[in-house]
Amino acid sequence: MTPTSDQTDPAPYRTVNQRSSACYAQRSSLSRALTRPDRPALRIIQHCSLGGVISPLLLNIALQGIEEAAGTRYNKRGETRPGTPVIIVYADDLVALCHSAEEAEQVRERLTEWLAPTGLRFNPAKTRVVAIEEGFDFLSFNVRRYTTKDGPKLLIKPSKEALIRIRRRLKAELRALRGQPAAAVVGHLNPIIRGQAAYFRTKVSKEAFAALDRWLWYRLQSWARRSHRNHNRRWVAGRYFGPHNPSRNDRWVFGDPKTGAYLHKYAWTPIVRHIPVAGRSSPDDPALAQYWADRRRRHSRQHPPLAPTTGRALRAQRGRCPLCGDDLLYDDQPPDSPSQWETWFRDARTATVYTTVTVPGADGHADDRHRLVHTDCHRHQPGAATAGTDMDL
């Protein structure tokens, strides 16, 4: 068994690579959230919906000690000891990685007994024991061991259900955008596509991204032809598809020639592997603030996947607004779901603007050039009546 990070890892999921001969996974969903009644400082809260804002916090409080109850043991470096199960908890979802089906059943019995005093219980309909060769879904990913020519290999891919949800979402959005200009389609879909790609980019998602791009191309063709029923396919393709992205040698990019806006493709998001966290390090521990700062600086590829122009502007400005000196974008706590990534991209686009600003140069003379600044700073800048240029994040 290889070491795994603790559940305080800020990334939305963790990878656990089990090298034992028989690896089984037990997945469950907890039925309701109650705090620990054996802790007098905490009140028992009933009728708390799992979809509520406070639900994950209450579950984290209630599930303190679940790893010890399952039999997980750590060494001095915070790594799991060989031969012990590994517990992964995210909100109301739980996975126990064990070495055999018998051990998985034992872990379930221990946790059932341990959870009983808290009022929590496993959902029988969602709790099962499966071999890793069969695979299981967790947080929109499918974890499965495949047999390859080089031997067994564990691969984590976007689950089929997650890809179906993505297609349904895009189909519904395009249906709602019928009759709208191409620029509106680009502005509405880009945060969705970028958010979904940012969430799935840390795993084996290259083939899934390519398949989504192919599917979306046909849906965009259908949307465009519906808007121009009196024109043929060639005219529609020439109107909306072309080399709109100057940094890509791709002539089948959907965009608006009038505004220069273009639709991002899933495959343009590079696959970046998640870097495991050392031991049981937590981003909420003030004593480890320097560790997390160094980690973010060393692993710059883990930063949000931005457009090349935005990335170059941020690097040239060292990530700071030239008007106020504060950070332009904050990514110290990465979003942990596609919807949160979508919100992050929408907020980042609203909070920044690419415009011409005047700042003192190195030789003391005024330096006028396009820079990425806070929208609020640009609004309060003297002579900022002219709107800035929107930059595709």
Side-chain angles (χ1 to χ4, degrees), residues 49-362:
S49 171
L50 283 176
V53 177
I54 199 173
S55 175
L57 174 61
L58 294 179
L59 280 171
N60 283 334
I61 297 174
L63 298 181
Q64 286 295 322
I66 191 172
E67 292 179 312
E68 290 76 8
T72 304
R73 297 294 181 266
Y74 293 91
N75 57 24
K76 295 181 179 180
R77 294 180 296 178
E79 301 170 348
T80 53
R81 293 180 179 177
T84 63
V86 176
I87 305 297
I88 303 176
V89 180
Y90 185 91
D92 64 322
D93 288 328
L94 180 147
V95 169
L97 299 176
C98 307
H99 296 81
S100 64
E102 292 75 15
E103 184 183 20
E105 293 292 350
Q106 293 174 3
V107 170
R108 176 159 58 178
E109 293 176 1
R110 292 183 204 147
L111 294 183
T112 300
E113 181 180 355
W114 183 80
L115 290 171
T118 68
L120 295 168
R121 64 180 183 273
F122 291 117
N123 187 334
K126 297 182 179 181
T127 303
R128 60 195 182 102
V129 176
V130 298
I132 197 64
E133 287 76 14
E134 180 183 348
F136 63 94
D137 292 346
F138 186 61
L139 301 180
S140 298
F141 288 94
N142 178 262
V143 183
R144 181 182 173 187
R145 176 185 287 168
Y146 294 84
T147 301
T148 66
K149 61 180 181 180
D150 298 326
K153 190 172 185 180
L154 181 70
L155 298 179
I156 304 178
K157 303 179 180 181
S159 66
K160 293 182 179 179
E161 289 75 11
L163 296 178
I164 291 175
R165 289 195 300 268
I166 290 175
R167 291 188 176 96
R168 287 177 178 172
R169 170 78 185 282
L170 294 175
K171 185 177 180 179
E173 297 292 347
L174 285 173
R175 184 181 294 111
L177 289 168
R178 288 175 180 174
Q180 298 294 323
V185 175
V186 172
H188 190 77
L189 293 186
N190 262 344
I192 299 175
I193 295 174
R194 285 185 174 275
Q196 294 167 347
Y199 179 74
F200 290 104
R201 65 178 175 146
T202 58
K203 296 297 177 281
V204 186
S205 305
K206 185 176 181 180
E207 293 182 0
F209 285 174
L212 286 173
D213 285 333
R214 289 193 298 269
W215 177 88
L216 185 57
W217 186 87
Y218 286 105
R219 299 305 307 177
L220 291 170
Q221 279 273 13
S222 177
W223 174 90
R225 293 189 64 196
R226 182 178 291 272
S227 300
H228 303 279
R229 297 179 181 272
N230 297 328
H231 294 83
N232 57 29
R233 292 175 180 267
R234 183 182 296 274
W235 186 93
V236 171
R239 171 70 179 268
Y240 292 103
F241 293 90
H244 298 296
N245 187 349
S247 61
R248 296 279 178 175
N249 186 21
D250 188 347
R251 65 186 185 92
W252 290 106
V253 179
F254 180 86
D256 183 9
K258 296 181 180 179
T259 62
Y262 58 87
L263 193 65
H264 186 80
K265 289 189 175 184
Y266 287 93
W268 292 349
T269 301
I271 303 299
V272 179
R273 298 289 180 245
H274 170 65
I275 307 299
V277 176
R280 308 182 72 179
S281 303
S282 169
D284 299 322
D285 187 352
L288 298 177
Q290 188 60 41
Y291 164 78
W292 290 104
D294 294 340
R295 173 186 168 88
R296 288 190 295 271
R297 185 176 61 255
R298 290 195 308 268
H299 307 301
S300 59
R301 294 191 65 194
Q302 297 288 331
H303 293 174
L306 303 173
T309 50
T310 307
R312 286 192 294 268
L314 285 174
R315 287 191 295 270
Q317 300 172 201
R318 297 185 178 181
R320 297 187 178 276
C321 174
L323 299 180
C324 67
D326 291 339
D327 292 334
L328 283 164
L329 302 175
Y330 297 90
D331 64 326
D332 54 338
Q333 293 290 345
D336 56 4
S337 69
S339 60
Q340 290 185 16
W341 271 111
E342 176 185 341
T343 302
W344 187 92
F345 277 104
R346 291 189 188 278
D347 293 345
R349 184 178 180 86
T350 304
T352 57
V353 63
Y354 194 60
T355 185
T356 302
V357 295
T358 303
V359 296

